[in-house]
């Protein structure tokens, strides 16, 4: 019954405004071609009609030029295509700004999933004390990463922010100016950003969004759920990867890590300084004003001289509490609410703003530790036995757990060893300046054994933390095999006396990271999600066995294929067999700007994540326990889909298709991120070295979205053919976990458009492979609709569905231009002496077209 009002809200507040402001945009002079805006709707119409008739992208573009621009030569045609690309990019920005402005209208800010709703539901069920007790420990950690899934430079993000404000205020004069500014502001980055550039871009969100929204959540919980009583939990904490994530990024150095940490400290101190200046105008009372002025002066000096410790966080906090006591005792609590807001910010952000995580691949650690072991087996440094490398893993672990040595990066000449030990030394330095929470986690990518963890554990102790290891070692399990082995690996660590003692010193908590992106790339959609679910269950069980609390940290991307989609629904679906004291997840690229780009959207989505834990614990726990029969069904579905996906992945045309037909190789040319698109620099495409982002992104650019559905249809078909489909329907209707999986797969399929690449059906090399993908898409679509009893994909999510439809409509000409250029490149490469200059131009068109397509998918999370 609520579908119509939601659709109406979308149409009135987003679609109508987009049509109005886009018509203004069309009339603006646009970068030397005044008729671009006039021609754009004509091209869009030709695309829609052309694909409906089964025409190829080449035929559609050629027909457009023949009908509307038959008097221009090839050079002018190409120039116009570039103008169309630029124009569509800006249409996407306009739609982004309109959606952001309408967020509080299209989303019920006090409805289901918000803290107010959770509070009212708990209080009405006489669960107030239970809710308070639960929230004393529960928290959400958002970890910002610079993974390259967004193409907006900082200048364009600034325009989106200003445009959003102007649209909220219906300021037509300013909207027109901003649209004109947008028309002439470059979207391209001349050079790849450095990790420091990426950090500075993301710190903007910390300073302008999270600094306020996280504090608002704290204020609400303390005032309304705890009814004014003081609480110790910060509820929301922030993590940060730019400058600390070394995995596959040679540009992250020790110096960069230290610079980023310094920038984080400097920025949060500046934020406190601004707040204290505002408070000084209010807190003009005897004794109080002197303390406020003292804090202000010290914060200012700390900001100007960030390397000097002029005021510690402990001193800052105690001074604020001193002011609080004076206000309560002597001044009738005047301006107490404003002061408490700053006290809460101080609790959440410290003098570090966000915890800078260090991450590196286990294979790099192994290379590094081999060199360190060589050093510790020789001469006066000999601590390890000379046959160390020949020992089995258990013997090596026993030696490492009791290893006492003092080493530093200065002891080695090998660049890899120096960088790795340098990052450990940087953690120690950051803890001294920013506090322990400034950097206290070392994440091991591609963790395949307990020895991988022990190598890092011993390097930390030998290099900088001999007597007191104030760092959590976090294994990251990614592939299906690693997920299966994860509980065995953790038990080996828990039974190691030295490591167990370390975990005890860290509060008997062990953070374990699980990678959705590489899991899906490796095992397909259903198997990846089910493997992670089962791994969490086993890791919970094994951790509880040793009285350890497992904290799960999920490496999620934006689209469902990378663990995104309706993320809060996933967390609300976890049953009692999975530890859920904390929700920790990575947020990256367009997911940052779409879910946390404004104060309203950030607060709403943070509340949704907090409420997912509350819902799972108090209101829906019965729906979240999987029965033995449903486990059997899920297991069979995952195994069937895994076989289908593995066969598909091992198809002899799989890698050639990605290499020749998709935009995969063009990701490296976009200058959107500091990190290379492959872990190794070899020219040959190797599946294991391929990053998940370009892998998933390439399928998205093709509008095939394979990682989000392939194998789902085959698995469901087995149950249909055997007459057991009703069992899967019952599973869907009674399991929030399975429902969230299927609903997110629907989103991936909703963004698929096979008409775009239908011309490949007749391709002599790839026709059969394309048909294989298309048939699985049709199978999956038919059966998920049957399963959910829906007539169209995402029927139950009308606003998201409408948003996707408009965005896909906007970029349809862009996709057509991209495919046109891809086919031109293929044709040119098929002849003996292709025109190199023309080839280069078409490749530039492909690269440029990536931008708008990926930005338009911001609603993937």
């Amino acid at each position: 019954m609520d579908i119509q009002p939601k659709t109406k809200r979308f149409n009135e507040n987003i679609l109508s405004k987009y049509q109005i402001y886009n018509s203004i945009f069309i009339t603006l002079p646009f970068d030397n071609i005044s008729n671009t805006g006039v021609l754009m709707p004509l091209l869009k119409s030709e695309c829609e009609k052309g694909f409906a008739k089964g025409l190829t992208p080449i035929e559609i573009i050629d027909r457009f030029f023949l009908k509307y621009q038959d008097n221009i030569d090839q050079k002018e045609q190409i120039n116009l295509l570039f103008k169309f690309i630029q124009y569509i990019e800006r249409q996407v920005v306009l739609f982004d700004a309109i959606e952001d402005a309408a967020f509080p209208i299209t989303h019920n800010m006090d409805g289901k999933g918000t803290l107010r709703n959770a509070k009212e539901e708990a209080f009405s069920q006489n669960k107030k004390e239970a809710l308070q007790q639960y929230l004393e420990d529960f928290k959400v950690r958002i970890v910002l990463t610079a993974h390259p899934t967004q193409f907006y430079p900082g200048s364009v993000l600034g325009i989106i922010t200003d445009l959003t404000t102007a649209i909220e205020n219906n300021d037509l004069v300013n909207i027109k100016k901003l649209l004109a500014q947008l028309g002439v502001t470059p979207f391209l980055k001349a050079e790849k950003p450095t990790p420091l550039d990426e950090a500075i871009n993301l710190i903007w969100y910390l300073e302008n969004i999270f600094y306020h929204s996280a504090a608002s959540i704290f204020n609400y919980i303390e005032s309304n759920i705890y009814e004014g009583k003081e609480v110790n939990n910060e509820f929301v904490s922030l993590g940060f990867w730019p400058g600390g994530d070394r995995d596959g990024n040679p540009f992250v150095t020790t110096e960069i890590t230290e610079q980023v940490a310094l920038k984080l400290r400097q920025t949060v101190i500046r934020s406190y300084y601004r707040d204290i200046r505002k408070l000084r105008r209010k807190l003009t009372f005897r004794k109080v004003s002197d303390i406020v002025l003292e804090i202000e002066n010290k914060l200012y000096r700390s900001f100007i001289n960030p390397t000097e410790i002029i005021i510690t966080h402990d001193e800052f906090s105690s001074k604020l509490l001193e002011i609080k006591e004076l206000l309560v005792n002597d001044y009738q609590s005047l301006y107490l609410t404003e002061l408490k807001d700053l006290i809460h910010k101080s609790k959440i952000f410290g003098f570090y703003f966000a915890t800078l995580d260090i991450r590196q691949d286990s294979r790099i650690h192994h290379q590094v530790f081999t060199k360190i072991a060589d050093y510790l087996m020789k001469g006066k440094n000999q601590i390890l036995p000379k046959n160390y490398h020949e020992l089995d893993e258990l013997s090596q672990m026993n030696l490492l757990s009791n290893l006492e040595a003092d080493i530093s990066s200065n002891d080695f000449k090998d660049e890899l060893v120096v960088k790795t030990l340098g990052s450990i030394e940087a953690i120690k330095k950051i803890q001294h300046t920013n506090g322990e929470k400034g950097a206290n986690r070392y994440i091991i990518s591609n963790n395949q054994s307990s020895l991988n963890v022990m190598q890092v554990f011993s390097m930390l102790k030998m290099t900088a933390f001999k007597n007191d290891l104030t760092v959590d070692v976090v294994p990251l399990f990614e592939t299906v095999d690693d997920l299966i082995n994860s509980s065995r690996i953790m038990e080996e660590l828990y039974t190691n006396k030295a490591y167990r003692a370390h975990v005890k010193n860290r509060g008997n908590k062990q953070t374990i990271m699980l990678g959705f992106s590489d899991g899906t790339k490796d095992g397909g959609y259903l198997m990846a999600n089910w493997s992670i679910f089962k791994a969490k269950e086993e890791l919970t069980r094994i951790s509880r066995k040793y009285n350890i609390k497992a904290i799960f940290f999920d490496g999620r991307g934006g689209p469902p294929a990378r663990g995104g989609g309706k993320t809060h629904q996933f967390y609300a679906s976890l049953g009692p067999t999975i530890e859920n004291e904390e929700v920790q997840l990575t947020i990256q690229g367009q997911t940052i700007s779409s879910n946390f780009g404004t104060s309203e959207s950030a607060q709403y989505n943070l509340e949704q994540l907090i409420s997912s834990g509350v819902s799972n614990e108090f209101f829906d726990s019965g729906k979240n326990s999987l029965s033995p029969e449903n486990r059997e069904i899920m297991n069979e579905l995952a195994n069937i889909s895994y076989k289908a996906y593995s066969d598909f992945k091992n198809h002899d045309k799989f890698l050639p298709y990605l290499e020749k037909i998709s935009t995969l190789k063009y990701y490296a040319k976009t200058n959107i991120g500091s990190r290379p698109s492959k872990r190794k620099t070899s020219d040959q495409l190797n599946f294991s070295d391929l990053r998940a982002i370009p892998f998933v992104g390439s399928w998205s650019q093709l509008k095939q979205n394979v990682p989000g559905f392939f194998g789902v249809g085959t698995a469901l078909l087995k149950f249909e053919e055997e007459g057991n489909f009703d069992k899967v329907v019952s599973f869907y209707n009674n399991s929030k976990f399975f429902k969230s999986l299927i609903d997110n797969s629907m989103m991936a399929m909703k963004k698929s458009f096979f008409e775009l690449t239908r011309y490949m059906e007749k391709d002599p090399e790839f026709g059969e492979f394309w048909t294989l993908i298309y048939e699985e898409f049709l199978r999956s679509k038919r059966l998920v609709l049957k399963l959910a009893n829906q007539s169209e994909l995402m029927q139950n999510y009308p606003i998201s569905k409408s948003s996707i439809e408009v965005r896909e409509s906007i970029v349809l000409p862009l996709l057509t231009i991209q495919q046109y250029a891809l086919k031109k490149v293929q044709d040119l490469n098929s002849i003996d002496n292709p025109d190199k200059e023309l080839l280069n131009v078409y490749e530039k068109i492909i690269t440029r077209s990536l931008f708008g397509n990926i930005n338009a998918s911001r609603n993937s999370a």
Side-chain angles (χ1 to χ4, degrees), residues 235-254:
F235 308 111
V236 175
S237 63
L238 298 171
F240 206 75
W241 275 17
D245 183 11
R246 295 175 179 272
D247 181 12
N249 193 338
F251 307 110
V252 176
T253 63
T254 302

PDB file of all heavy atoms in Angstrom, residues 235-254:
ATOM      1  N   PHE A 235      29.807   4.541  20.402  1.00  0.00           N
ATOM      2  CA  PHE A 235      28.783   4.077  19.446  1.00  0.00           C
ATOM      3  C   PHE A 235      29.259   4.073  17.992  1.00  0.00           C
ATOM      4  O   PHE A 235      28.997   3.127  17.262  1.00  0.00           O
ATOM      5  CB  PHE A 235      27.488   4.894  19.575  1.00  0.00           C
ATOM      6  CG  PHE A 235      26.967   4.974  20.967  1.00  0.00           C
ATOM      7  CD1 PHE A 235      26.979   6.172  21.665  1.00  0.00           C
ATOM      8  CD2 PHE A 235      26.494   3.840  21.612  1.00  0.00           C
ATOM      9  CE1 PHE A 235      26.523   6.237  22.961  1.00  0.00           C
ATOM     10  CE2 PHE A 235      26.040   3.894  22.922  1.00  0.00           C
ATOM     11  CZ  PHE A 235      26.047   5.103  23.601  1.00  0.00           C
ATOM     12  N   VAL A 236      29.910   5.154  17.564  1.00  0.00           N
ATOM     13  CA  VAL A 236      30.435   5.216  16.192  1.00  0.00           C
ATOM     14  C   VAL A 236      31.926   5.509  16.267  1.00  0.00           C
ATOM     15  O   VAL A 236      32.349   6.416  16.989  1.00  0.00           O
ATOM     16  CB  VAL A 236      29.745   6.324  15.369  1.00  0.00           C
ATOM     17  CG1 VAL A 236      30.385   6.449  13.981  1.00  0.00           C
ATOM     18  CG2 VAL A 236      28.251   6.057  15.229  1.00  0.00           C
ATOM     19  N   SER A 237      32.734   4.723  15.561  1.00  0.00           N
ATOM     20  CA  SER A 237      34.162   5.045  15.437  1.00  0.00           C
ATOM     21  C   SER A 237      34.532   4.981  13.962  1.00  0.00           C
ATOM     22  O   SER A 237      33.820   4.377  13.156  1.00  0.00           O
ATOM     23  CB  SER A 237      35.016   4.084  16.264  1.00  0.00           C
ATOM     24  OG  SER A 237      34.885   2.761  15.795  1.00  0.00           O
ATOM     25  N   LEU A 238      35.633   5.616  13.635  1.00  0.00           N
ATOM     26  CA  LEU A 238      36.028   5.731  12.233  1.00  0.00           C
ATOM     27  C   LEU A 238      37.406   5.128  12.004  1.00  0.00           C
ATOM     28  O   LEU A 238      38.304   5.263  12.842  1.00  0.00           O
ATOM     29  CB  LEU A 238      36.032   7.200  11.808  1.00  0.00           C
ATOM     30  CG  LEU A 238      34.682   7.912  11.896  1.00  0.00           C
ATOM     31  CD1 LEU A 238      34.856   9.396  11.661  1.00  0.00           C
ATOM     32  CD2 LEU A 238      33.699   7.333  10.901  1.00  0.00           C
ATOM     33  N   GLY A 239      37.540   4.468  10.872  1.00  0.00           N
ATOM     34  CA  GLY A 239      38.829   3.943  10.443  1.00  0.00           C
ATOM     35  C   GLY A 239      39.233   4.608   9.146  1.00  0.00           C
ATOM     36  O   GLY A 239      38.417   5.233   8.461  1.00  0.00           O
ATOM     37  N   PHE A 240      40.502   4.460   8.767  1.00  0.00           N
ATOM     38  CA  PHE A 240      41.042   5.187   7.618  1.00  0.00           C
ATOM     39  C   PHE A 240      42.128   4.349   6.962  1.00  0.00           C
ATOM     40  O   PHE A 240      43.021   3.843   7.646  1.00  0.00           O
ATOM     41  CB  PHE A 240      41.626   6.521   8.117  1.00  0.00           C
ATOM     42  CG  PHE A 240      41.655   7.618   7.101  1.00  0.00           C
ATOM     43  CD1 PHE A 240      40.497   8.280   6.743  1.00  0.00           C
ATOM     44  CD2 PHE A 240      42.859   8.010   6.513  1.00  0.00           C
ATOM     45  CE1 PHE A 240      40.521   9.325   5.816  1.00  0.00           C
ATOM     46  CE2 PHE A 240      42.892   9.031   5.595  1.00  0.00           C
ATOM     47  CZ  PHE A 240      41.721   9.694   5.245  1.00  0.00           C
ATOM     48  N   TRP A 241      42.046   4.170   5.646  1.00  0.00           N
ATOM     49  CA  TRP A 241      43.037   3.370   4.920  1.00  0.00           C
ATOM     50  C   TRP A 241      44.015   4.169   4.061  1.00  0.00           C
ATOM     51  O   TRP A 241      45.145   3.744   3.883  1.00  0.00           O
ATOM     52  CB  TRP A 241      42.331   2.311   4.058  1.00  0.00           C
ATOM     53  CG  TRP A 241      42.002   1.071   4.829  1.00  0.00           C
ATOM     54  CD1 TRP A 241      41.956   0.939   6.191  1.00  0.00           C
ATOM     55  CD2 TRP A 241      41.693  -0.219   4.301  1.00  0.00           C
ATOM     56  NE1 TRP A 241      41.619  -0.345   6.540  1.00  0.00           N
ATOM     57  CE2 TRP A 241      41.450  -1.083   5.400  1.00  0.00           C
ATOM     58  CE3 TRP A 241      41.574  -0.736   3.027  1.00  0.00           C
ATOM     59  CZ2 TRP A 241      41.110  -2.428   5.245  1.00  0.00           C
ATOM     60  CZ3 TRP A 241      41.237  -2.068   2.859  1.00  0.00           C
ATOM     61  CH2 TRP A 241      41.009  -2.907   3.963  1.00  0.00           C
ATOM     62  N   PRO A 242      43.627   5.303   3.474  1.00  0.00           N
ATOM     63  CA  PRO A 242      44.602   6.024   2.636  1.00  0.00           C
ATOM     64  C   PRO A 242      45.848   6.378   3.446  1.00  0.00           C
ATOM     65  O   PRO A 242      45.762   6.916   4.542  1.00  0.00           O
ATOM     66  CB  PRO A 242      43.845   7.295   2.224  1.00  0.00           C
ATOM     67  CG  PRO A 242      42.412   6.967   2.387  1.00  0.00           C
ATOM     68  CD  PRO A 242      42.335   5.998   3.525  1.00  0.00           C
ATOM     69  N   GLY A 243      46.997   6.058   2.910  1.00  0.00           N
ATOM     70  CA  GLY A 243      48.242   6.332   3.620  1.00  0.00           C
ATOM     71  C   GLY A 243      48.727   5.164   4.456  1.00  0.00           C
ATOM     72  O   GLY A 243      49.886   5.127   4.859  1.00  0.00           O
ATOM     73  N   GLY A 244      47.848   4.186   4.724  1.00  0.00           N
ATOM     74  CA  GLY A 244      48.239   3.031   5.508  1.00  0.00           C
ATOM     75  C   GLY A 244      48.076   1.721   4.753  1.00  0.00           C
ATOM     76  O   GLY A 244      48.655   0.704   5.119  1.00  0.00           O
ATOM     77  N   ASP A 245      47.274   1.746   3.692  1.00  0.00           N
ATOM     78  CA  ASP A 245      46.999   0.533   2.918  1.00  0.00           C
ATOM     79  C   ASP A 245      48.094   0.331   1.879  1.00  0.00           C
ATOM     80  O   ASP A 245      48.083   0.936   0.818  1.00  0.00           O
ATOM     81  CB  ASP A 245      45.623   0.658   2.244  1.00  0.00           C
ATOM     82  CG  ASP A 245      45.241  -0.590   1.474  1.00  0.00           C
ATOM     83  OD1 ASP A 245      45.939  -1.616   1.626  1.00  0.00           O
ATOM     84  OD2 ASP A 245      44.244  -0.550   0.736  1.00  0.00           O
ATOM     85  N   ARG A 246      49.038  -0.561   2.196  1.00  0.00           N
ATOM     86  CA  ARG A 246      50.180  -0.803   1.306  1.00  0.00           C
ATOM     87  C   ARG A 246      49.916  -1.927   0.313  1.00  0.00           C
ATOM     88  O   ARG A 246      50.729  -2.153  -0.582  1.00  0.00           O
ATOM     89  CB  ARG A 246      51.416  -1.171   2.134  1.00  0.00           C
ATOM     90  CG  ARG A 246      51.920  -0.059   3.018  1.00  0.00           C
ATOM     91  CD  ARG A 246      53.074  -0.546   3.895  1.00  0.00           C
ATOM     92  NE  ARG A 246      53.585   0.533   4.724  1.00  0.00           N
ATOM     93  CZ  ARG A 246      54.528   1.384   4.339  1.00  0.00           C
ATOM     94  NH1 ARG A 246      55.054   1.283   3.137  1.00  0.00           N
ATOM     95  NH2 ARG A 246      54.937   2.334   5.144  1.00  0.00           N
ATOM     96  N   ASP A 247      48.827  -2.653   0.490  1.00  0.00           N
ATOM     97  CA  ASP A 247      48.576  -3.844  -0.322  1.00  0.00           C
ATOM     98  C   ASP A 247      48.494  -3.485  -1.805  1.00  0.00           C
ATOM     99  O   ASP A 247      47.521  -2.896  -2.261  1.00  0.00           O
ATOM    100  CB  ASP A 247      47.274  -4.512   0.133  1.00  0.00           C
ATOM    101  CG  ASP A 247      46.965  -5.780  -0.651  1.00  0.00           C
ATOM    102  OD1 ASP A 247      47.848  -6.260  -1.381  1.00  0.00           O
ATOM    103  OD2 ASP A 247      45.838  -6.280  -0.541  1.00  0.00           O
ATOM    104  N   GLY A 248      49.525  -3.842  -2.536  1.00  0.00           N
ATOM    105  CA  GLY A 248      49.544  -3.590  -3.980  1.00  0.00           C
ATOM    106  C   GLY A 248      49.746  -2.146  -4.360  1.00  0.00           C
ATOM    107  O   GLY A 248      49.581  -1.775  -5.517  1.00  0.00           O
ATOM    108  N   ASN A 249      50.094  -1.284  -3.368  1.00  0.00           N
ATOM    109  CA  ASN A 249      50.279   0.133  -3.672  1.00  0.00           C
ATOM    110  C   ASN A 249      51.704   0.556  -3.327  1.00  0.00           C
ATOM    111  O   ASN A 249      52.017   0.844  -2.165  1.00  0.00           O
ATOM    112  CB  ASN A 249      49.283   0.988  -2.881  1.00  0.00           C
ATOM    113  CG  ASN A 249      49.227   2.422  -3.406  1.00  0.00           C
ATOM    114  OD1 ASN A 249      50.159   2.894  -4.049  1.00  0.00           O
ATOM    115  ND2 ASN A 249      48.129   3.099  -3.140  1.00  0.00           N
ATOM    116  N   PRO A 250      52.583   0.605  -4.327  1.00  0.00           N
ATOM    117  CA  PRO A 250      53.989   0.944  -4.065  1.00  0.00           C
ATOM    118  C   PRO A 250      54.199   2.399  -3.657  1.00  0.00           C
ATOM    119  O   PRO A 250      55.283   2.772  -3.223  1.00  0.00           O
ATOM    120  CB  PRO A 250      54.665   0.654  -5.414  1.00  0.00           C
ATOM    121  CG  PRO A 250      53.580   0.814  -6.424  1.00  0.00           C
ATOM    122  CD  PRO A 250      52.317   0.354  -5.753  1.00  0.00           C
ATOM    123  N   PHE A 251      53.143   3.219  -3.790  1.00  0.00           N
ATOM    124  CA  PHE A 251      53.283   4.649  -3.513  1.00  0.00           C
ATOM    125  C   PHE A 251      53.019   5.005  -2.052  1.00  0.00           C
ATOM    126  O   PHE A 251      53.193   6.144  -1.652  1.00  0.00           O
ATOM    127  CB  PHE A 251      52.353   5.444  -4.436  1.00  0.00           C
ATOM    128  CG  PHE A 251      52.531   5.103  -5.883  1.00  0.00           C
ATOM    129  CD1 PHE A 251      51.554   4.411  -6.584  1.00  0.00           C
ATOM    130  CD2 PHE A 251      53.702   5.449  -6.551  1.00  0.00           C
ATOM    131  CE1 PHE A 251      51.723   4.068  -7.921  1.00  0.00           C
ATOM    132  CE2 PHE A 251      53.887   5.109  -7.881  1.00  0.00           C
ATOM    133  CZ  PHE A 251      52.901   4.420  -8.571  1.00  0.00           C
ATOM    134  N   VAL A 252      52.589   4.020  -1.268  1.00  0.00           N
ATOM    135  CA  VAL A 252      52.411   4.254   0.164  1.00  0.00           C
ATOM    136  C   VAL A 252      53.742   3.985   0.856  1.00  0.00           C
ATOM    137  O   VAL A 252      54.209   2.853   0.912  1.00  0.00           O
ATOM    138  CB  VAL A 252      51.299   3.356   0.759  1.00  0.00           C
ATOM    139  CG1 VAL A 252      51.206   3.561   2.271  1.00  0.00           C
ATOM    140  CG2 VAL A 252      49.956   3.663   0.123  1.00  0.00           C
ATOM    141  N   THR A 253      54.352   5.035   1.353  1.00  0.00           N
ATOM    142  CA  THR A 253      55.650   4.937   2.029  1.00  0.00           C
ATOM    143  C   THR A 253      55.480   5.255   3.507  1.00  0.00           C
ATOM    144  O   THR A 253      54.422   5.734   3.936  1.00  0.00           O
ATOM    145  CB  THR A 253      56.643   5.937   1.414  1.00  0.00           C
ATOM    146  OG1 THR A 253      56.143   7.266   1.644  1.00  0.00           O
ATOM    147  CG2 THR A 253      56.819   5.713  -0.075  1.00  0.00           C
ATOM    148  N   THR A 254      56.537   5.036   4.274  1.00  0.00           N
ATOM    149  CA  THR A 254      56.512   5.379   5.702  1.00  0.00           C
ATOM    150  C   THR A 254      56.249   6.873   5.879  1.00  0.00           C
ATOM    151  O   THR A 254      55.477   7.292   6.755  1.00  0.00           O
ATOM    152  CB  THR A 254      57.853   5.002   6.364  1.00  0.00           C
ATOM    153  OG1 THR A 254      58.081   3.612   6.162  1.00  0.00           O
ATOM    154  CG2 THR A 254      57.835   5.311   7.847  1.00  0.00           C
TER     155      THR A 254
END
